[in-house]
Amino acid sequence: MRISIIIILLLESIFGMAQNSEKKPLIIESCNDSIDISANFYNIYDSLTHYSHPSDVLYNNWNTKRIHYKDENGIVKTDSILIILQDSIHERYFVQPIIGPITSHFGYRRYRFHYGTDIDLVTGDPVKAAMDGMVRITTYERGFGRVIVIRHPNGLETVYAHLSKIKVDTNQIVKAGEVIALGGNTGRSTGSHLHFEIRYLGKAINPETIIDFKHARPINNRFYLTDNNFRYLNRIVANKNAKFHYIRSGDTLSAISRKYHTTISKLCYYNGINQSAILQIGQKLRVR
Ligand SMILES: [Zn+2]
């Protein structure tokens, strides 16, 4: 009995190695100036093993510790990248992880940027995988609480945070609609909800631009990712580089503009004031 198990394991490892060495090269089909990273979607999915991970051709690494993928080579610069969310012919579907009202949108919340969509739930409600894929992260993090990250063969990653219970393991293959966790209120969270993110090469996309959460379906089964989807990043960088001046007695806009090598009109633009605005001592003025 034990010998036969050993033989099976040996055969499996030999077969696995052979499979690995014969891994077919992945071809990115290109048409005009857009690339279709989903061209090999089904081949990749069908060959998912210990040796291959979804969207390997795009990510080049499989890190099971770091929640956010860091793109070392800079974002792939293309005019448009086709992402397939749903293809009924091949039985690849999108399933909304939880049905419920949206309680917080993607974007600035006071001074912090919120990279996902929050959906209301009751602790213990089942949370489902949005698409087929492989679980890359199952961990506890201070902000996210219990969190799962799944990488999908279409190039996207989805993040599910503030969970009360995780029901999958790292490296596990999951199908769209499979229950992966129970919702909760762990981490930096006030009230039970699901914090749901959609990322491409580590960069978040506003989920509401591609998912119709009210009707729990994709807005389009396929869409093109363009620079527009990441325009918000410019604003975050600009805000991070912002510099402030606190008004002192005798300060004028023209003196401040000279001091910070800027112009009065820029000061007015940054602060939403006009040139004749009266400055108050102690007032915080953005100068860059
Ligand atoms: Zn959130």
Side-chain angles (χ1 to χ4, degrees):
M1 182 69 179
R2 210 168 270 175
I3 291 167
S4 65
I5 291 171
I6 291 167
I7 291 169
I8 289 168
L9 284 172
L10 269 171
L11 281 172
E12 261 184 357
S13 63
I14 291 163
F15 179 67
M17 279 191 293
Q19 224 184 9
N20 195 34
S21 60
E22 282 169 17
K23 221 162 112 182
K24 283 179 208 147
L26 296 166
I27 302 153
I28 296 179
E29 287 180 10
S30 64
C31 59
N32 300 328
D33 50 3
S34 67
I35 65 163
D36 179 2
I37 60 148
S38 310
N40 297 76
F41 186 106
Y42 308 111
N43 302 348
I44 295 169
Y45 186 82
D46 294 338
S47 67
L48 282 181
T49 66
H50 307 326
Y51 307 105
S52 97
H53 302 108
S55 304
D56 255 354
V57 66
L58 197 63
Y59 285 85
N60 293 315
N61 74 41
W62 180 258
N63 186 319
T64 57
K65 298 275 180 281
R66 197 167 58 194
I67 293 176
H68 293 312
Y69 171 80
K70 283 245 162 48
D71 184 19
E72 267 107 34
N73 307 312
I75 194 157
V76 182
K77 271 282 171 196
T78 47
D79 283 355
S80 48
I81 294 155
L82 178 65
I83 304 283
I84 297 173
L85 285 178
Q86 193 153 254
D87 181 342
S88 54
I89 294 167
H90 295 91
E91 298 191 349
R92 310 296 181 194
Y93 298 106
F94 172 88
V95 175
Q96 190 163 303
I98 187 105
I99 311 275
I102 291 176
T103 52
S104 186
H105 302 278
F106 181 94
Y108 272 105
R109 276 197 314 210
R110 288 174 175 267
Y111 300 109
R112 279 179 86 91
F113 199 89
H114 182 235
Y115 290 95
T117 298
D118 289 350
I119 306 166
D120 194 25
L121 54 71
V122 174
T123 293
D125 279 353
V127 172
K128 296 168 179 171
M131 292 167 283
D132 295 355
M134 191 185 267
V135 178
R136 186 169 68 77
I137 300 276
T138 54
T139 192
Y140 184 93
E141 195 261 357
R142 209 156 45 102
F144 280 135
R146 283 198 187 84
V147 57
I148 296 174
V149 180
I150 301 176
R151 187 173 291 172
H152 307 283
N154 62 359
L156 299 178
E157 286 197 324
T158 47
V159 180
Y160 312 76
H162 309 310
L163 307 166
S164 61
K165 190 173 170 53
I166 292 176
K167 288 175 150 308
V168 288
D169 292 319
T170 307
N171 297 320
Q172 186 176 327
I173 295 172
V174 291
K175 298 291 288 176
E178 194 175 323
V179 174
I180 52 169
L182 303 181
N185 188 27
T186 56
R188 200 186 300 122
S189 167
T190 48
S192 303
H193 72 279
L194 176 72
H195 170 89
F196 178 60
E197 291 183 9
I198 300 177
R199 288 182 177 256
Y200 176 80
L201 285 175
K203 294 183 169 63
I205 301 163
N206 181 354
E208 287 179 78
T209 59
I210 55 176
I211 307 301
D212 172 358
F213 284 93
K214 200 172 164 201
H215 298 99
R217 62 183 180 214
I219 293 169
N220 291 300
N221 287 344
R222 44 175 59 204
F223 70 97
Y224 283 95
L225 211 51
T226 69
D227 289 344
N228 276 340
N229 295 94
F230 304 107
R231 199 145 283 173
Y232 72 93
L233 290 169
N234 298 336
R235 209 177 133 206
I236 293 176
V237 171
N239 286 352
K240 274 193 182 140
N241 293 334
K243 196 175 159 77
F244 297 92
H245 172 86
Y246 290 90
I247 302 297
R248 278 175 295 211
S249 168
D251 275 347
T252 62
L253 283 178
S254 93
I256 294 165
S257 70
R258 280 197 303 277
K259 184 176 177 189
Y260 291 99
H261 309 290
T262 184
T263 61
I264 294 173
S265 57
K266 267 191 183 166
L267 288 178
C268 291
Y269 171 75
Y270 285 148
N271 297 282
I273 56 174
N274 61 44
Q275 300 203 3
S276 55
I278 294 162
L279 303 172
Q280 311 283 345
I281 290 174
Q283 185 182 336
K284 189 181 176 186
L285 205 69
R286 183 173 164 189
V287 293
R288 197 163 68 210

